[in-house]
Amino acid sequence: AGKSTLMHLLMGMLHPQAGSVEIFGLDPVRHPIEVKQRIGYVAENQILPGSMTAVELLAIYPGLFPNWQPELAMDLAEKFDLPLRRKVNTLSKGQARSLALLLAISSRPDFLILDEPAAGLDPAMRREFLSTSIEHAAESGTTILFSSHQLTDVERLASRVALLHNGRIALDRATDSLTEDYSLATLPQNSDGPAMRALPGFLAARDRKSQTSALFERSTIELQQDLDHTFGAGVGVCRSVPLEELFIEFVGGGN
């Protein structure tokens, strides 16, 4: 969809083929040091220097990030139970990801980029990992840009959701408003398709066995009234849409 590409552009790791990118009012390619010193970054495929120990990395980072917090780094190392004197390439996936998060958070970034940071971790570690990110962001005022296919995590943690589909933003809303702004209607397949598509707020529809599901940008109360008026009471049923199902409807639906 372009999530990682977007994050790499913000980091200055890629150059845009068209358009422009600014972060903190700066071009990340022309001002790489000024930008990177204010960003924390954790990714699923992130590679830390494998031949170095965590202790050696912790000695280097204060010279790279002016807001480095050594006490916070030690607190997180203890919280994650990290073996600081082992080489990075001997750490488990969870330990390596926790070390990357420790390094990112302890630099006290203005902007924390998490690109599928908890992918492949067991549910308990994933919850701990993300809760730690949110907790320290709340304390420091850091903004988090968080990318994940685990939409239950996004729904639980994010205050704002953007859905990328085929490189374009298909949805951009405050999380709290999603259940109020969107509804899913279920109708028999032999219902009047043009009449359904003519209802205010229609976005997409797709067939499911003997039924048709249609996504609307409407409240459930308003939509149910229109369904009853158009198709008759009890013919169509509507309900609010969880984020994961909303994603499926946006990606799988077709006008």
Side-chain angles (χ1 to χ4, degrees):
K3 301 185 299 300
S4 294
T5 299
L6 171 62
M7 293 178 170
H8 291 165
L9 287 168
L10 291 173
M11 292 284 292
M13 297 161 67
L14 292 176
H15 294 217
Q17 293 174 308
S20 61
V21 177
E22 281 193 358
I23 182 165
F24 314 125
L26 299 172
D27 182 328
V29 175
R30 296 177 60 191
H31 305 278
I33 295 176
E34 294 92 329
V35 169
K36 287 185 174 69
Q37 282 185 332
R38 298 173 63 183
I39 292 180
Y41 176 69
V42 183
E44 177 186 8
N45 58 355
Q46 186 171 355
I47 299 175
L48 296 172
S51 62
M52 297 182 69
T53 65
V55 167
E56 291 171 333
L57 283 174
L58 291 173
I60 291 175
Y61 266 63
L64 301 176
F65 296 94
N67 295 325
W68 180 260
Q69 301 289 315
E71 297 84 2
L72 176 58
M74 290 300 101
D75 288 345
L76 289 173
E78 183 176 352
K79 179 176 183 176
F80 293 140
D81 194 23
L82 285 174
L84 296 181
R85 299 195 178 278
R86 281 176 51 186
K87 290 187 176 181
V88 171
N89 59 13
T90 68
L91 299 179
S92 69
K93 178 185 291 186
Q95 289 171 333
R97 207 74 59 80
S98 296
L99 175 59
L101 181 64
L102 177 157
L103 295 170
I105 289 179
S106 298
S107 66
R108 282 299 190 197
D110 295 318
F111 192 41
L112 178 60
I113 297 177
L114 303 177
D115 187 7
E116 294 282 0
L121 303 183
D122 65 67
M125 178 166 283
R126 189 174 74 237
R127 180 177 289 266
E128 175 70 16
F129 188 99
L130 297 175
S131 296
T132 299
S133 304
I134 299 298
E135 173 187 335
H136 286 283
E139 290 177 359
S140 62
T142 297
T143 296
I144 295 181
L145 179 61
F146 169 49
S147 164
S148 177
H149 283 94
Q150 296 285 344
L151 297 184
T152 52
D153 289 342
V154 176
E155 197 165 27
R156 180 168 58 90
L157 298 173
S159 59
R160 177 179 170 188
V161 174
L163 169 62
L164 274 176
H165 181 48
N166 290 332
R168 296 183 178 276
I169 295 178
L171 170 71
D172 184 1
R173 290 290 171 91
T175 311
D176 292 342
S177 72
L178 287 174
T179 55
E180 301 172 4
D181 294 345
Y182 292 90
S183 300
L184 189 68
T186 303
L187 295 151
Q189 267 195 10
N190 58 0
S191 301
D192 185 348
M196 176 183 65
R197 287 168 169 75
L199 292 176
F202 173 83
L203 295 175
R206 62 192 182 108
D207 292 332
R208 291 176 164 183
K209 296 181 180 179
S210 61
Q211 297 178 323
T212 296
S213 63
L215 183 65
F216 288 84
E217 191 172 358
R218 299 278 302 283
S219 72
T220 55
I221 295 176
E222 293 177 349
L223 180 57
Q224 188 65 63
Q225 291 173 347
D226 276 357
L227 291 176
D228 291 344
H229 177 75
T230 304
F231 301 102
V235 175
V237 178
C238 71
R239 57 182 174 82
S240 58
V241 194
L243 181 58
E244 184 167 352
E245 198 166 347
L246 184 62
F247 170 81
I248 292 170
E249 294 299 329
F250 262 107
V251 172
N255 295 349

